[in-house]
C-alpha cells in the first residue's frame, strides 16, 4: 500500500475551497501577489497545486476571489447618514481589528504596484468600495466626496495597522475617534 506524501485533505469541495482561499489570503498578504506562488498556496492549504487551478482557473482569478470574499463597505453605510462619521470612526479605531480585514489591506498595499494584480486591485476597490459610497452619497460631487471618505478611511486603517495610531491611553483613542468622526461626517456632507 502506497502512503500519501505531504498533507492531505478529505474530499469536501466547500472545505477545500475555503482552505485555498484562506491560504491565498495569507500568502498574498505576507508576500504580495507577485511573490506568492500557487505551489506555496496549495502547500499551505494541503492540496495539490492543480486543484487550486481547477477551483479558481488562475492565480489572478484566485486573487479576485480573495478580494471578493473580503466584504464590502456596504455594512458601514447601513444606518442613519447623520451617524456615519461616528460609526466609521468606531469601526476604524475602537472595534477589535478583524484579521481578514487587515490581511486585505496588506494584500492591497503589497499588490497594487504589480503589473498583473494592480488592475484587479484597483477594479475591486472601485466596485466594492468607491461605487457603493458614491451611490449612497448621491449628488453631483458624489465621486469626489467618496474619494475623500476613502482617503480618510484608508489612512486611518493603515495608521491603526502600523502602530494602533500610537495611542495607548483609552482617553486619547476616544479623543481621536471623536475627531475622526467629525472629519468623516464633514466629508460626506
Amino acid at each position: 500500500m502506497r502512503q500519501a506524501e505531504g498533507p492531505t485533505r478529505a474530499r469536501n469541495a466547500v472545505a477545500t475551497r475555503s482552505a485555498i482561499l484562506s491560504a491565498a489570503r495569507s500568502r498574498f498578504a505576507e508576500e504580495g501577489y507577485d511573490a506568492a506562488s500557487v505551489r506555496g498556496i496549495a502547500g499551505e492549504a494541503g492540496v495539490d497545486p492543480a486543484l487550486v487551478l481547477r477551483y479558481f482557473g488562475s492565480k489572478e482569478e484566485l486573487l479576485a476571489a480573495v478580494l471578493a470574499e473580503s466584504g464590502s463597505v456596504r455594512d458601514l453605510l447601513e444606518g442613519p447618514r447623520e451617524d456615519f462619521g461616528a460609526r466609521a470612526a468606531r469601526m476604524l479605531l475602537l472595534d477589535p481589528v478583524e484579521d481578514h480585514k487587515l490581511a486585505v489591506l496588506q494584500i492591497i498595499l503589497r499588490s497594487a504596484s504589480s503589473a498583473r494584480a494592480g488592475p484587479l486591485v484597483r477594479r475591486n476597490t472601485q466596485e466594492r468600495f468607491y461605487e457603493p459610497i458614491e451611490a449612497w452619497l448621491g449628488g453631483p460631487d458624489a465621486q469626489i466626496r467618496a474619494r475623500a471618505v476613502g482617503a480618510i478611511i484608508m489612512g486611518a486603517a493603515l495608521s491603526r495597522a502600523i502602530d494602533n495610531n500610537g495611542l495607548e491611553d483609552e482617553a486619547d483613542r476616544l479623543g481621536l475617534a471623536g475627531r475622526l468622526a467629525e472629519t468623516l461626517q464633514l466629508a460626506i456632507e
Side-chain angles (χ1 to χ4, degrees):
M1 179 187 274
R2 187 172 163 225
Q3 191 169 5
E5 295 178 21
T8 59
R9 172 173 300 286
R11 292 184 186 202
N12 176 328
V14 173
T16 299
R17 186 177 195 285
S18 178
I20 293 169
L21 284 170
S22 179
R25 184 174 43 252
S26 173
R27 289 293 177 122
F28 290 145
E30 291 174 17
E31 302 169 6
Y33 175 83
D34 291 332
S37 69
V38 170
R39 183 172 300 284
I41 292 165
E44 188 169 322
V47 300
D48 187 89
L51 195 57
V52 173
L53 298 177
R54 186 172 344 144
Y55 273 76
F56 295 97
S58 68
K59 191 167 119 177
E60 291 88 359
E61 290 176 58
L62 177 57
L63 175 62
V66 167
L67 293 173
E69 67 123 20
S70 68
S72 163
V73 74
R74 293 184 198 283
D75 293 342
L76 185 57
L77 304 178
E78 291 178 3
R81 187 177 296 258
E82 58 272 6
D83 295 340
F84 172 78
R87 275 195 317 276
R90 183 181 59 253
M91 179 203 71
L92 289 164
L93 302 178
L94 304 174
D95 288 351
V97 177
E98 297 178 36
D99 289 341
H100 73 280
K101 289 184 180 179
L102 180 57
V104 170
L105 178 62
Q106 291 171 319
I107 291 168
I108 290 168
L109 292 173
R110 289 193 171 113
S111 303
S113 63
S114 165
R116 295 191 105 174
L120 201 151
V121 167
R122 286 185 285 283
R123 184 174 59 247
N124 182 76
T125 303
Q126 179 63 33
E127 291 172 359
R128 299 181 65 78
F129 187 76
Y130 289 116
E131 287 177 6
I133 295 173
E134 289 172 26
W136 180 74
L137 289 170
D141 64 344
Q143 185 178 29
I144 293 168
R145 288 183 292 142
R147 292 290 170 161
V149 168
I152 296 165
I153 288 174
M154 288 182 205
L158 184 58
S159 179
R160 185 172 185 191
I162 292 169
D163 70 351
N164 199 24
N165 298 302
L167 301 173
E168 297 301 321
D169 183 70
E170 181 71 15
D172 290 341
R173 280 197 304 276
L174 289 171
L176 178 59
R179 292 282 178 112
L180 182 61
E182 291 171 9
T183 302
L184 284 164
Q185 200 62 41
L186 283 172
I188 69 163
E189 293 173 359

